[in-house]
Amino acid sequence: MFLINCPFCGEREQSEFKAGGEAHIVRPKQPTELSDDQWAEYLFMRKNIKGIQFERWNHIHGCRKWFNMVRDTSNDEIKAVYKMGEKPPVK
Amino acid sequence: MKNKYSIFSLIKNAFSYHENWEKAWKDPEPKKEYDVVIIGGGGHGLATAYYLAKKHNMKNIAVVEKGWIGGGNTGRNTTIIRSNYLWDASAGLYDHALKIWEGLSQELNYNVMFSQRGVMNLAHNLQDVRDLKRRTHANRLNGIDAVYLNTEEVKKFCPIINTSPDIRYPVLGGTLQKRAGTARHDAVAWGYARGADEMGVDIIQNCEVKSIKRNGDAVEGIETTKGFIKTNKIGVVAAGHSSVIANMAGLRLPLESKPLQALVSEPVKPIIDTVVMSNAVHAYVSQSDKGELVIGAGTDDYVSYSQKGSHDIVEGTLNAILELYPIFSRMRMLRQWGGIVDICPDASPIISKTSIKGLYFNCGWGTGGFKATPGSGDLFAHTIANDEPHKLNAAFNLNRFVSGDLVDEHGAAAVAH
């Protein structure tokens, strides 16, 4: 259990949120030209980092808005949250 | 040759107050070079080493483990063993394991306390009923014992279940696999370790892999906290840390590592003599030989390596347990823990060669790997020794995520996470 600072609602319990997996996976611009390997890469392959990971979250039992998070997956410490479309923090 | 465990050795050692038992396995320092190195000293890794030595006549094998053997998910699961999976490929894989379980204590000369007490899966809505009936038929076509039970039969098989139609998610029926059951998880790791050690496998504990050395598209060895180990064949059985190891070799895997929690109650007298699982409300329970209720909770939906997990997951599971078993309302929970499980998009494992020569992965077991331990070790050993998959694990290759030939066991596997 940890607290998440929703960029729209402020600090709430993690149980109000739904994790949406790795962030910044860009949807292919021309899907018809993708090879099977590239599709597999886009659909299935994940970084699954132990350490600092960029991910998407949804405040599903709150404002229901999506946002991004930087989190250390080795101890669940949240480093930053930022809105969709914003550039991820450098540090 | 190790001394055989028997009633006579037990009596003999009683005279010396059990202080002179021979060590079950050695604690060697790593050699400079091995024919095969297995990364990960859990049940699957130790079983792989055991079958490599036993069935494929390989002698120069090491198992490297960053902690102690069986200290990861092998010692953290809820010990349930069953093979009632929907798809043919899964049925073949898990029933292969179940058949080995049936003779494992004798084979290893180590009591793994395999108990075929049956596993019952409950249905709580009409879709559950349809799915479970379909799975029963599929199981039977694959030669796996399965029966469908109506509500009265469920109650008869496990009388403490609340089958009242008035509860939030009433019990509408269930399936039963009688050959399924439980085993003592630690004993599985220890038994395989002892067996592998006897055949000359080096089990190296407290030895963390730091990097994998590659020469072009082949592996050359591993850098560890105990120095460099040269090898041409690496079998990775690192469960939740599979992606971390894959990253060292420059390989991408379709895995996400998440905390899966379990908990045990204070020990009580025998009250439930089977295993009952419920997919829809996510609760499963059995009773250990010590008398503790062993309860499995669900996974969190976020990636984490913290071995903790969220409290609300446990709370949800206990709510369901209380509704189904009102008799447990005053039970106190003793311990709760988490294990990091590596989940594949199709909820089926990967036992496969990779694009890198000499690098093999056995991962993606997700929330249900313990039951497959002997079969997984056997098939992975075959894959490593022959550089070809066995026909039973051919479908569980890494390439299925490219070809699209997935083995989708989400939900169909009798319990969904």
Side-chain angles (χ1 to χ4, degrees):
Chain A
M1 176 84 68
F2 44 86
L3 295 173
I4 294 176
N5 192 11
C6 171
F8 307 96
C9 312
E11 209 160 69
R12 299 292 172 87
E13 273 185 21
Q14 172 254 318
S15 57
E16 288 189 14
F17 296 82
K18 170 98 181 134
E22 191 179 318
H24 307 298
I25 298 174
V26 182
R27 193 180 159 75
K29 293 232 159 45
Q30 287 173 306
T32 50
E33 287 170 21
L34 246 49
S35 68
D36 289 350
D37 278 316
Q38 287 167 318
W39 269 121
E41 189 68 20
Y42 168 69
L43 285 174
F44 299 124
M45 300 301 162
R46 294 292 176 263
K47 289 182 185 152
N48 196 25
I49 292 167
K50 183 180 186 179
I52 303 292
Q53 167 155 301
F54 294 80
E55 48 196 27
R56 300 178 305 173
W57 284 75
N58 187 353
H59 193 183
I60 197 159
H61 300 298
C63 64
R64 301 180 65 187
K65 287 197 177 101
W66 285 91
F67 61 96
N68 290 314
M69 184 190 289
V70 189
R71 191 170 55 92
D72 188 338
T73 60
S74 63
N75 58 11
D76 295 334
E77 194 182 313
I78 298 167
K79 303 290 185 189
V81 288
Y82 55 101
K83 290 179 185 168
M84 283 289 164
E86 285 180 7
K87 282 239 156 51
V90 191
K91 270 190 104 176
Chain B
M1 191 66 189
K2 283 199 187 341
N3 292 327
K4 203 168 153 43
Y5 290 155
S6 68
I7 182 75
F8 304 108
S9 68
L10 193 64
I11 295 166
K12 189 179 142 215
N13 278 281
F15 287 112
S16 54
Y17 302 98
H18 297 292
E19 284 170 357
N20 295 321
W21 283 99
E22 178 191 29
K23 263 194 168 180
W25 55 86
K26 298 178 288 290
D27 194 16
E29 286 301 307
K31 288 191 264 182
K32 289 212 157 33
E33 184 173 356
Y34 289 97
D35 294 339
V36 186
V37 173
I38 304 297
I39 301 176
H44 290 241
L46 293 164
T48 305
Y50 174 84
Y51 291 113
L52 277 171
K54 187 175 178 191
K55 293 174 83 170
H56 303 283
N57 274 324
M58 301 189 79
K59 291 287 165 246
N60 194 21
I61 305 167
V63 177
V64 295
E65 163 58 47
K66 75 171 173 180
W68 63 94
I69 59 165
N73 293 349
T74 302
R76 290 165 187 271
N77 61 78
T78 49
T79 78
I80 298 168
I81 294 162
R82 58 185 177 87
S83 64
N84 55 352
Y85 280 70
L86 178 70
W87 301 110
D88 295 352
S90 316
L93 177 67
Y94 291 102
D95 210 51
H96 177 61
L98 183 48
K99 283 175 188 148
I100 304 178
W101 277 114
E102 288 175 331
L104 193 61
S105 291
Q106 284 73 24
E107 186 187 335
L108 295 177
N109 179 227
Y110 204 104
N111 188 4
V112 298
M113 297 163 80
F114 180 53
S115 156
Q116 291 177 297
R117 58 184 67 183
V119 169
M120 188 159 66
N121 296 103
L122 301 180
H124 296 277
N125 53 55
L126 282 176
Q127 190 58 46
D128 274 0
V129 171
R130 292 185 196 112
D131 287 345
L132 292 191
K133 281 186 175 167
R134 179 191 178 201
R135 189 160 53 71
T136 306
H137 294 312
N139 288 162
R140 287 180 163 191
L141 288 171
N142 278 317
I144 293 168
D145 65 312
V147 281
Y148 187 82
L149 308 177
N150 62 27
T151 310
E152 291 73 42
E153 289 164 332
V154 167
K155 182 81 180 169
K156 200 170 162 217
F157 188 71
C158 184
I160 61 170
I161 295 180
N162 180 6
T163 51
S164 157
D166 300 328
I167 62 176
R168 177 66 183 84
Y169 297 103
V171 177
L172 301 183
T175 65
L176 175 62
Q177 185 183 17
K178 283 201 166 164
R179 284 162 64 232
T182 59
R184 173 79 201 279
H185 51 7
D186 298 321
V188 179
W190 298 336
Y192 273 121
R194 179 168 171 266
D197 182 86
E198 185 174 357
M199 290 183 288
V201 173
D202 279 356
I203 297 165
I204 304 158
Q205 302 181 73
N206 297 309
C207 179
E208 186 175 353
V209 176
K210 290 295 181 189
S211 65
I212 291 176
K213 196 176 172 212
R214 277 175 61 176
N215 179 12
D217 62 351
V219 292
E220 276 196 326
I222 52 171
E223 194 63 58
T224 73
T225 47
K226 293 193 174 184
F228 182 73
I229 301 172
K230 192 165 181 262
T231 183
N232 292 323
K233 284 193 173 190
I234 300 171
V236 183
V237 204
H241 282 71
S242 297
S243 297
V244 177
I245 304 284
N247 196 30
M248 293 177 189
L251 194 72
R252 297 251 286 164
L253 292 175
L255 298 175
E256 285 194 308
S257 298
K258 297 174 177 182
L260 173 64
Q261 297 179 79
L263 56 161
V264 294
S265 72
E266 59 192 342
V268 291
K269 291 195 173 168
I271 181 72
I272 179 165
D273 62 357
T274 185
V275 182
V276 184
M277 310 180 71
S278 174
N279 183 348
V281 297
H282 207 293
Y284 48 103
V285 64
S286 62
Q287 192 171 16
S288 74
D289 291 353
K290 267 190 285 184
E292 304 154 323
L293 296 180
V294 183
I295 295 170
T299 48
D300 280 293
D301 60 358
Y302 52 87
V303 169
S304 177
Y305 290 81
S306 69
Q307 291 189 328
K308 277 187 283 199
S310 306
H311 183 70
D312 56 297
I313 300 282
V314 172
E315 200 176 11
T317 289
L318 289 178
N319 283 342
I321 292 277
L322 284 190
E323 176 110 322
L324 279 176
Y325 311 92
I327 193 173
F328 295 153
S329 66
R330 280 169 293 164
M331 290 287 281
R332 284 171 295 191
M333 294 299 141
L334 272 193
R335 298 190 307 280
Q336 166 274 342
W337 63 91
I340 303 306
V341 297
D342 44 330
I343 301 176
C344 262
D346 59 356
S348 286
I350 297 165
I351 313 168
S352 179
K353 295 162 69 171
T354 65
S355 55
I356 300 163
K357 197 172 175 313
L359 185 64
Y360 306 85
F361 266 86
N362 183 353
C363 60
W365 289 96
T367 59
F370 175 74
K371 67 173 81 68
T373 305
S376 157
D378 182 33
L379 299 173
F380 195 42
H382 181 102
T383 307
I384 294 173
N386 300 303
D387 197 36
E388 276 298 318
H390 188 278
K391 67 177 191 323
L392 286 174
N393 68 309
F396 299 96
N397 60 62
L398 193 49
N399 197 50
R400 72 179 189 265
F401 299 98
V402 177
S403 69
D405 193 9
L406 304 180
V407 189
D408 183 8
E409 287 289 355
H410 272 295
V415 59
H417 287 287

